[in-house]
Amino acid sequence: MKKIIEMKAIRKSYKMGHNTLEVLKGIDLTIQEGEFVAILGPSGSGKSTMMNIIGCIDTKTDGDYILDGKNIEKFTENELSSIRNDKIGFIFQKFNLLGRLSTLRNVEIPLLLRGRNRKEAKSEAIRYLEMVGLGDRIHHKPIELSGGQQQRVAIARALIGQPQLLLADEPTGNLDQESGKEIMELFLKLNEEGNTIVMITHDENVAKKAKRVIRILDGKIMEVTKSEKLA
């Protein structure tokens, strides 16, 4: 099976005046194509820093990060920007939708940024909104949607570019229990269709839905387990 992510002895530290804060302390991790992995840890554990490195938003201090067979260290900032737009679909806790635009326009954005014409982008956006169950909401603005519906729009936007990796940061954090359950069911469906998903969460009940759970604490991986063993 193809490796999408390889992290080897990843360290990340920040200078704070005369002191150095080490956030990640030698992370080793491999994620295969088609996996659904949850990275589980409390606030301050290093999971968000790990997510930022996986998503090429931040860079490591030491170690090797290999994404889809290529060492990220060798890429320029422009190349990293292209990777973020082409290879990774981001799903955020706060949805990050543009409030003045319709759901259709929000979902079109990644394709328009790639230079696709508006007719093609519109057709694709409608297809993905229908896929997440919002075909009847294409002209609604985010404020006219529930939290769960807004997250579905965000998922459609992440999917439209057909990324190799979906990276979800606390995707149910702003949702009620029922909406959160529906979003996790959608993730499971997307994973069954072959999508590779890495989800960051502090919620053990949410993590259980993934196929594999990686526990992180104080910047170190403490445990990797199949999710059913968490029950």
Side-chain angles (χ1 to χ4, degrees):
M1 191 176 289
K2 182 180 178 182
K3 295 177 182 177
I4 292 291
I5 291 169
E6 291 180 85
M7 305 183 89
K8 300 177 180 179
I10 292 290
R11 293 181 177 273
K12 180 64 180 181
S13 57
Y14 298 94
K15 289 285 187 182
M16 303 183 68
H18 297 294
N19 300 317
T20 299
L21 175 65
E22 192 171 25
V23 180
L24 298 180
K25 305 171 183 177
I27 297 291
D28 292 303
L29 175 65
T30 298
I31 295 175
Q32 309 278 359
E33 187 176 46
E35 280 201 274
F36 181 8
V37 175
I39 298 174
L40 173 67
S43 178
S45 62
K47 65 184 186 299
S48 293
T49 300
M50 192 170 164
M51 182 206 74
N52 288 340
I53 292 172
I54 290 172
C56 299
I57 296 169
D58 199 358
T59 56
K60 43 78 179 175
T61 303
D62 198 10
D64 289 303
Y65 175 36
I66 299 166
L67 177 64
D68 193 27
K70 298 176 181 177
N71 195 320
I72 290 303
E73 188 172 14
K74 298 178 180 179
F75 285 84
T76 65
E77 185 52 47
N78 283 340
E79 289 171 330
L80 289 175
S81 179
S82 293
I83 287 171
R84 289 191 294 269
N85 192 41
D86 297 340
K87 289 183 177 291
I88 304 170
F90 292 93
I91 300 161
F92 299 99
Q93 177 178 351
K94 295 183 179 179
F95 320 132
N96 287 15
L97 301 176
L98 298 176
R100 299 177 69 177
L101 299 183
S102 67
T103 60
L104 177 64
R105 293 287 184 248
N106 269 280
V107 175
E108 286 177 339
I109 288 171
L111 293 187
L112 295 175
L113 288 174
R114 293 183 189 185
R116 297 277 290 276
N117 68 58
R118 187 168 289 279
K119 183 178 179 181
E120 289 178 347
K122 178 179 179 180
S123 176
E124 283 291 280
I126 291 171
R127 184 165 74 87
Y128 278 96
L129 283 165
E130 288 174 346
M131 183 187 298
V132 299
L134 290 177
D136 59 343
R137 295 286 191 274
I138 64 171
H139 298 301
H140 287 62
K141 292 184 178 179
I143 198 171
E144 300 171 309
L145 304 175
S146 69
Q149 289 172 331
Q150 289 185 61
Q151 192 62 290
R152 286 175 181 268
V153 174
I155 291 170
R157 181 184 59 191
L159 286 169
I160 196 170
Q162 298 181 321
Q164 289 180 296
L165 172 67
L166 289 176
L167 188 55
D169 181 18
E170 300 279 5
T172 63
N174 275 356
L175 304 179
D176 60 62
Q177 189 172 1
E178 186 58 32
S179 296
K181 180 181 176 183
E182 290 173 357
I183 292 300
M184 293 313 300
E185 288 173 352
L186 178 56
F187 278 153
L188 286 169
K189 180 175 180 288
L190 291 170
N191 179 239
E192 287 169 2
E193 292 171 353
N195 290 280
T196 306
I197 303 172
V198 176
M199 176 179 66
I200 311 297
T201 184
H202 70 278
D203 189 329
E204 195 144 342
N205 289 324
V206 170
K208 287 179 184 179
K209 301 295 184 182
K211 303 294 177 63
R212 185 159 64 108
V213 178
I214 296 158
R215 293 179 184 271
I216 184 170
L217 186 66
D218 295 330
K220 297 179 181 178
I221 289 178
M222 308 303 294
E223 180 184 6
V224 179
T225 182
K226 295 292 185 183
S227 60
E228 58 264 28
K229 293 181 181 178
L230 286 172

